[in-house]
Amino acid sequence: MKRKQSKSSNNANTELLALVGTLRKVGQRLEKLTAGQVETVADSDGRTLLLSGTQEQLKQSQNAKQAAILNALPAHIALLDAKGIIISVNEVWRRFDTANVLQGNPAYDVGRNYLEACDDACAGGSSIAAQVAEGIRSVLSRLKRSFATEYQCDTPTENRWCLLTVTPLAENRPTGAVLMHLNITEQKQVALELPEANERMTILDRAKAEFLDVISHEFRTPLCGLFTVGDLIIEGIASPEENVELKGMFQRSRRRILSILDDALLLTRIDVTRDQFGSAPVSLSTALSCAIERTTEFADSRHVTFVMPSANQDIVVGDKDLLVLAFHALLDTAVKFSKEGETVRVAHEVAADSLRVTIETHGWTISPSAMPKFFDIFSVGEILTPGGDLGLGPPVAYRILSLFGASVSVANRNSCGIRLTISLRKAAPSGAGTGLLNWENTRVAGKAQMLQPGCRGSGA
Amino acid sequence: MRATIFKFRLYIAGDTHNSMLAIANLSALCEARLPKRHKIEVVDVLREPKRALAEGIFLTPTLVKLAPSPVQKIVGTLQELGRVLEVVGLRDPIV
């Protein structure tokens, strides 16, 4: 019986070998007949057969494509068999593994059992390793369709976060799993920073709303003046004398609106494009004289006069137009804190590497509650003086001066007026000594004495 | 008078080397000799074996010139330009 079975088996093997030989010969003959240019043949039933060379080519082509796709991904990818042994890894995984081995860490390359590696790490106290091992086992045993977890993997120099996903290699058979580690540090940091950014945005939104509130408040007074003038003109009831007064009111309101607009735009420009403002040596005397020229009309209307410092050759760092604007805003503020007939004293002193300009009034003082907010944009509504609303003058001056490393502070003068102190950076005097004034330590009042070289027309 | 449109059907097997070569050679030939006067249909026998059977295609790559008549077939990578031109009836450069 055994001999019969053995004979039958020998016959089957002989036939099998003969068929394989025939198959090889047929393939070789077909290749020869078609000069190696044909890849498939079909039988009379249309069944396509790949010639051996083509089979190899297709296999290589498919492998190359899969490898290219896996290598193009930024994630660390490994294929595990049903037991958890690594059977293939992508380029990113290989590079990371090589670097780890160079740093003395164990290799997780092809052939190593990843589950055992997790178990070892778990025994060493790693809680995430236990979680990962459980996740991989649940996917390999098809208890779960997939597993994903985020974990922190800090290096000595940076905080890092990774996302681990495990998916089955094939849907219907327990053939293994695809393991992927993706660095999600950037997304994680963004997520962590998001609430902070949201809070910043909310604060900015609130600030913008408050700014608009203040601006609309500022516009209301001059607009009321314009509306009054308009109403009286429409009704035609104004006498020639009243017309002169109305004309003055109209001009003042117009200037006020334009000034608020200019100030608001400048504040926004300084906040948004702070780095784009350049600086150059500026004659302090020229800047001060131009500012006083601009303020004279307003000072005259209040019967306030300026006492100026003697002529000087001092040069400061800044932009002439902007410094004039800052001084004008501060002089304007000083006038508002002065009573009728009083003087505003402007003086300056030289320190080692800075210049100090002081503006002193003798009238009203600043209330203690308003003092800390004097240079804040949103405080203008609160700091109302008997001399008029301060508008955006103080914050504009403060921000302009800060552009050039200069500063301004304010203090009450013993219950009688205020003192504004401006500290400016000294510049080298070369090439900037033009346009200096020949001032005397004299009382200045009225427009006629204030036309200085280098000053532009007053726009405010 | 409207120019004759050449219609080709190329049977290939996936993206194997010879199939890709045949596609490239046919495209180059058409661009050079039949600009805007040709249509090429590529049939992958690994995806559509029945179409090959219906047209009696047993080897790939195989090119079938469908129009103008007569229908002609040529097997291989289409590297031998002279033979390809002869089979598809483009020997005369005026055609």
Side-chain angles (χ1 to χ4, degrees), chain A residues 30 34 36-48 50 54 57-58 61 65, chain B residues 13 15-19 45-46 49 53 57-61 75-80:
Chain A
L30 278 170
T34 58
Q37 291 195 16
V38 171
E39 295 161 331
T40 68
V41 291
D43 64 10
S44 55
D45 293 328
R47 284 178 294 228
T48 306
L50 288 168
T54 310
Q57 266 184 32
L58 268 182
S61 165
K65 278 183 203 165
Chain B
D15 58 357
T16 49
H17 179 68
N18 286 344
S19 292
V45 299
L46 300 179
L53 180 65
I57 302 299
F58 298 105
L59 305 168
T60 63
V75 175
T77 57
L78 312 178
Q79 273 176 312
E80 296 159 16

Side-chain angles (χ1 to χ4, degrees), chain A residues 121-405:
Chain A
C122 184
S126 168
S127 59
I128 186 68
Q131 198 186 336
V132 169
E134 193 186 333
I136 293 172
R137 285 193 172 99
S138 66
V139 172
L140 287 175
S141 60
R142 297 174 64 195
L143 286 172
K144 279 186 185 174
R145 287 182 61 83
S146 64
F147 169 76
T149 185
E150 286 180 6
Y151 63 96
Q152 202 163 359
C153 46
D154 297 343
T155 67
T157 53
E158 60 175 343
N159 291 331
R160 283 197 325 177
W161 288 87
C162 278
L163 169 70
L164 170 86
T165 61
V166 186
T167 48
L169 198 55
E171 278 297 316
N172 301 320
R173 289 172 298 161
T175 50
V178 181
L179 190 73
M180 185 173 82
H181 296 268
L182 183 65
N183 189 334
I184 53 163
T185 307
E186 232 170 82
Q187 295 94 308
K188 203 75 186 170
Q189 280 170 346
V190 169
L192 290 171
E193 287 165 9
L194 207 55
E196 201 181 314
N198 270 337
E199 197 178 336
R200 276 203 304 273
M201 288 300 292
T202 309
I203 291 168
L204 278 175
D205 272 352
R206 203 179 302 134
K208 289 283 177 201
E210 285 172 4
F211 185 74
L212 285 174
D213 197 36
V214 168
I215 292 297
S216 62
H217 169 82
E218 287 294 312
F219 272 124
R220 202 158 287 139
T221 310
L223 278 174
C224 276
L226 287 179
F227 293 153
T228 306
V229 172
D231 286 345
L232 289 172
I233 288 171
I234 289 165
E235 289 169 15
I237 56 170
S239 64
E241 294 76 25
E242 285 171 327
N243 272 339
V244 174
E245 196 183 327
L246 285 175
K247 192 179 170 189
M249 186 193 285
F250 177 80
Q251 295 289 7
R252 282 194 300 279
S253 299
R254 191 181 69 171
R255 277 202 296 269
R256 183 87 189 106
I257 288 174
L258 292 174
S259 164
I260 292 167
L261 273 176
D262 286 344
D263 287 350
L265 287 173
L266 181 63
L267 281 173
T268 309
R269 257 183 71 206
I270 291 174
D271 282 348
V272 177
T273 56
R274 192 176 179 82
D275 299 337
Q276 291 175 17
F277 288 91
S279 63
V282 177
S283 158
L284 178 61
S285 291
T286 305
L288 271 174
S289 68
C290 289
I292 285 174
E293 184 191 336
R294 284 192 188 184
T295 322
T296 301
E297 188 182 341
F298 177 57
D300 285 350
S301 71
R302 301 287 178 98
H303 305 289
V304 173
T305 53
F306 291 109
V307 175
M308 302 304 302
S310 56
N312 66 75
Q313 301 273 325
D314 296 320
I315 307 296
V316 294
V317 175
D319 173 278
K320 189 195 150 201
D321 291 340
L322 289 176
L323 282 183
V324 169
L325 210 57
F327 287 138
H328 167 58
L330 295 173
L331 290 168
D332 198 74
T333 303
V335 171
K336 287 174 183 170
F337 277 92
S338 301
K339 292 175 184 169
E340 196 171 318
E342 285 182 349
T343 57
V344 171
R345 184 175 294 275
V346 182
H348 91 282
E349 58 183 87
V350 183
D353 58 350
S354 66
L355 285 165
R356 187 174 295 170
V357 176
T358 52
I359 302 170
E360 289 182 344
T361 71
H362 301 83
W364 292 287
T365 55
I366 303 166
S367 70
S369 63
M371 186 66 86
K373 302 176 187 173
F374 192 78
F375 295 106
D376 289 357
I377 291 176
F378 309 121
S379 69
V380 287
E382 301 168 32
I383 307 168
L384 293 172
T385 71
D389 198 335
L390 293 183
L392 292 169
V396 163
Y398 184 90
R399 277 166 176 71
I400 289 173
L401 292 169
S402 72
L403 284 176
F404 309 117

Side-chain angles (χ1 to χ4, degrees), chain B residues 37-58:
Chain B
R37 290 174 54 206
H38 65 274
K39 284 182 180 172
I40 300 172
E41 183 192 6
V42 177
V43 177
D44 185 347
V45 299
L46 300 179
R47 290 173 185 271
E48 301 178 272
K50 283 182 183 170
R51 288 193 63 186
L53 180 65
E55 206 161 352
I57 302 299
F58 298 105

